Amino acid sequence: MVKILVTDPLHEDAIKILEEVGEVEVATGLTKEELLEKIKDADVLVVRSGTKVTRDVIEKAEKLKVIGRAGVGVDNIDVEAATEKGIIVVNAPDASSISVAELTMGLMLAAARNIPQATASLKRGEWDRKRFKGIELYGKTLGVIGLGRIGQQVVKRAKAFGMNIIGYDPYIPKEVAESMGVELVDDINELCKRADFITLHVPLTPKTRHIIGREQIALMKKNAIIVNCARGGLIDEKALYEALKEGKIRAAALDVFEEEPPKDNPLLTLDNVIGTPHQGASTEEAQKAAGTIVAEQIKKVLRG
Ligand code: NAD
């Protein structure tokens, strides 16, 4: 019997598909030691972003054939180590694009209008209409870093808000950007200088780590709002903290952090930082799609 180990919460429809091909064990919240033990005789491992599938986990596996990531980013999986052992890694890159794009718009609006701060104040019994004065998205320049699946969905929605859009993505042709109504810039620093809102939609790689660093933050407008629904490591959080604290930029809206869950992250002490706990793909629709797409792929691999 094929043993399928699921170590992060997975949609019930995905479990049903997996049960057609093997015996499913759902074991969430495992410690590293427990995972190292359980992985030994698993044929399939299914994770979301919580489980860290590191080299030592992969090396402990004696029968593992497939790792399914019910979502997009595979940065929690050592794909190189898996490939060396002939283990196939499958994911669901399209499943959550719309959900992440919608959260990005939500955070952008929430930061522009101070919605979370105003809600908290209202619930404290205050009625402070001056403190939360915001800015409009209309007519502003949005800088989109990474024009892939999610970036493109954000572009569509931001256009409906009447934003002008500039983009930085060295891997897409100018014509593709132009057909979306995006002005492509060759230099991330130019984007940082010109944009009123900046949103990140690139994968985290050694090349993109701190793609928004001290130098880029220093170039931003005083009223700039930065939104990150991609990966925490893309921004130098220390530099971001200093700029926000000193009022050198207006606000940040963060769904992701360098360390998750954040431990004593000073960013979370600032009034001009709002955020969500890595909720980009946390919708009914995205989770169902991510789970079922990955389960179907696993089924295909197992059936050869
Ligand atoms: P994608 O692969 O479709 O697009 C990424 C884009 O980034 C590509 O167009 C690529 O050319 C571009 N890119 C790569 N390196 C770059 C660089 N150095 N500078 C500028 N552009 C660069 O990916 P996607 O589906 O749009 O997802 C983007 C990221 O969003 C994922 O890698 C993941 O980390 C993150 N994500 C977060 C959540 C969440 O819950 N918050 C959910 C899904 C995805």
Side-chain angles (χ1 to χ4, degrees):
M1 190 67 162
V2 172
K3 266 198 93 172
I4 303 172
L5 177 64
V6 179
T7 57
D8 289 319
L10 198 65
H11 196 275
E12 54 185 322
D13 289 8
I15 305 273
K16 277 188 202 136
I17 298 171
L18 292 172
E19 281 169 348
E20 291 170 23
V21 285
E23 183 191 315
V24 181
E25 181 187 357
V26 180
T28 56
L30 294 180
T31 62
K32 182 75 182 269
E33 287 66 35
E34 287 167 337
L35 177 61
L36 286 171
E37 187 53 38
K38 282 205 180 292
I39 196 70
K40 275 190 196 157
D41 63 343
D43 298 279
V44 178
L45 173 66
V46 188
V47 302
R48 276 178 33 206
S49 60
T51 305
K52 305 287 170 254
V53 193
T54 48
R55 181 173 280 277
D56 51 342
V57 173
I58 290 166
E59 277 168 1
K60 262 273 169 358
E62 290 165 13
K63 294 161 60 193
L64 199 61
K65 296 173 195 70
V66 200
I67 301 170
R69 155 73 166 108
V72 189
V74 287
D75 43 325
N76 56 321
I77 301 170
D78 191 331
V79 178
E80 209 181 292
T83 311
E84 280 170 24
K85 280 193 79 176
I87 298 165
I88 299 171
V89 179
V90 294
N91 68 341
D94 260 331
S96 57
S97 306
I98 290 176
S99 291
V100 181
E102 288 187 358
L103 182 68
T104 303
M105 296 311 294
L107 286 178
M108 213 186 292
L109 288 163
R113 302 300 296 272
N114 302 304
I115 296 172
Q117 300 92 328
T119 303
S121 158
L122 188 66
K123 288 188 170 177
R124 283 194 301 268
E126 299 160 5
W127 189 257
D128 192 343
R129 302 183 60 212
K130 274 201 195 106
R131 205 168 110 215
F132 302 114
K133 192 169 84 189
I135 54 170
E136 288 184 347
L137 268 53
Y138 180 79
K140 299 294 191 309
T141 296
L142 170 65
V144 182
I145 301 171
L147 290 161
R149 283 174 292 254
I150 298 170
Q152 292 186 22
Q153 293 293 343
V154 169
V155 167
K156 273 194 206 164
R157 286 154 180 79
K159 287 184 83 174
F161 278 92
M163 302 186 91
N164 308 311
I165 302 164
I166 57 176
Y168 172 71
D169 188 328
Y171 307 105
I172 72 151
K174 244 192 173 82
E175 303 76 60
V176 174
E178 272 163 15
S179 71
M180 293 186 277
V182 175
E183 179 198 340
L184 206 58
V185 298
D186 302 326
D187 181 3
I188 193 165
N189 286 3
E190 183 188 339
L191 180 144
C192 291
K193 258 188 231 164
R194 287 175 53 193
D196 301 295
F197 290 80
I198 295 171
T199 185
L200 289 146
H201 302 289
V202 294
L204 179 63
T205 66
K207 233 176 138 182
T208 59
R209 177 158 220 99
H210 289 186
I211 192 169
I212 297 294
R214 199 169 290 277
E215 181 189 346
Q216 286 68 38
I217 293 170
L219 294 169
M220 290 176 191
K221 294 183 181 177
K222 198 170 159 30
N223 252 340
I225 291 179
I226 181 156
V227 182
N228 188 7
C229 285
R231 284 292 179 267
L234 297 171
I235 304 182
D236 178 345
E237 285 187 347
K238 197 161 175 268
L240 180 67
Y241 170 77
E242 285 164 17
L244 285 163
K245 187 163 174 64
E246 290 159 19
K248 289 192 172 149
I249 61 173
R250 186 180 179 98
L254 310 169
D255 183 47
V256 286
F257 301 86
E258 289 203 85
E259 186 187 11
E260 291 182 5
K263 278 193 213 94
D264 300 322
N265 188 328
L267 280 167
L268 298 177
T269 64
L270 298 176
D271 237 8
N272 52 354
V273 171
I274 62 162
T276 38
H278 205 142
Q279 297 281 283
S282 285
T283 62
E284 188 52 41
E285 294 84 353
Q287 281 180 19
K288 182 172 169 182
T292 54
I293 291 169
V294 160
E296 289 292 353
Q297 287 197 69
I298 290 168
K299 208 162 113 177
K300 259 194 208 145
V301 174
L302 292 176
R303 290 186 170 164

